[in-house]
Each structure stands twice: as C-alpha cells, then as structure tokens.
C-alpha cells in the first residue's frame, strides 16, 4: 500500500491558459500570490507549473496546493480563488479547480 504524503490527504490542482507574451508578468503575480497563501496557511505546499510548449500562443499553467493534515479543503479553495482574482488580467478563459484525495488510507 502506498504511504500518505506527509502533507496530508488533500490536494488542489488549478489550471488555466495564458498568452505566452504575458508569462513573466503572470509568474511574478502567481508566485507572490502563493507566497501570501503560504503565510496565511502554515504547512501549505505550493507549486507553479506550465506546459513546456505554447499552443497557438497560449501556455497552460497549473498551480498545485498540498494541504496540511488539519486544513479544510473547501476553505482553502475559497481563499485560493479569492487571491487569484489578481491574476485575471493575464488569463484567457476560466480557472479550473480540481480537488483530489490520496488513495492510501
């Protein structure tokens, strides 16, 4: 049986599209947002990823959040989405939020 991550059982994965010409601006804003979220939610594990190739001038970006064991996934998702409003100038389309749980018990 696979061990549960030390970050707990819950993870959020959020993906969206951005024009490749805005990559640096978005990275600066998203990194600052994630730093602020980590300060507000001790033990939160964050990552910012993007697909290596743009398609039709758009990159797909992904934020990941590994929640500490005592975190409330719904409350954190609401905080993340509230904080992400500052990213809207660079987004093309909607942010898609996915909540996953570890398979191990």
């Amino acid at each position: 049986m696979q061990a549960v991550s030390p970050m707990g059982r819950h993870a959020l994965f959020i993906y969206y599209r951005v024009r490749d010409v805005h990559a640096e601006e978005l990275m600066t804003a998203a990194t600052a947002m994630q730093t602020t979220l980590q300060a507000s939610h001790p033990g939160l594990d964050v990552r910012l990823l993007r697909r290596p190739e743009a398609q039709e001038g758009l990159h797909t970006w992904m934020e990941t959040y590994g929640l500490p064991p005592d975190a409330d996934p719904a409350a954190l998702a609401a905080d993340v989405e509230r904080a992400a409003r500052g990213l809207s100038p660079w987004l093309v389309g909607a942010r898609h939020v996915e909540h996953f749980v570890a398979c191990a018990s």
Side-chain angles (χ1 to χ4, degrees):
M1 182 181 297
Q2 186 177 7
V4 175
S5 161
M7 291 310 299
R9 295 184 46 85
H10 296 273
L12 297 177
F13 295 87
I14 303 165
Y15 59 96
Y16 44 88
R17 307 284 308 258
V18 177
R19 296 201 188 288
D20 59 350
V21 297
H22 298 298
E24 283 189 46
E25 296 165 71
L26 175 70
M27 187 164 31
T28 299
T31 300
M33 177 190 77
Q34 287 186 320
T35 299
T36 300
L37 286 164
Q38 277 185 304
S40 300
H41 298 273
L44 183 65
D45 181 36
V46 303
R47 292 176 65 194
L48 182 62
L49 309 165
R50 71 168 174 79
R51 288 206 170 123
E53 302 292 331
Q55 294 181 356
E56 299 178 12
L58 297 173
H59 271 127
T60 300
W61 287 65
M62 179 176 280
E63 300 163 24
T64 69
Y65 299 90
L67 285 67
D70 61 344
D72 174 0
L76 179 65
D79 285 352
V80 168
E81 286 307 291
R82 215 174 0 264
R85 290 180 188 143
L87 304 180
S88 62
W90 300 288
L91 304 187
V92 176
R95 286 170 52 88
H96 303 278
V97 180
E98 301 284 345
H99 173 199
F100 287 84
V101 295
C103 294
S105 57

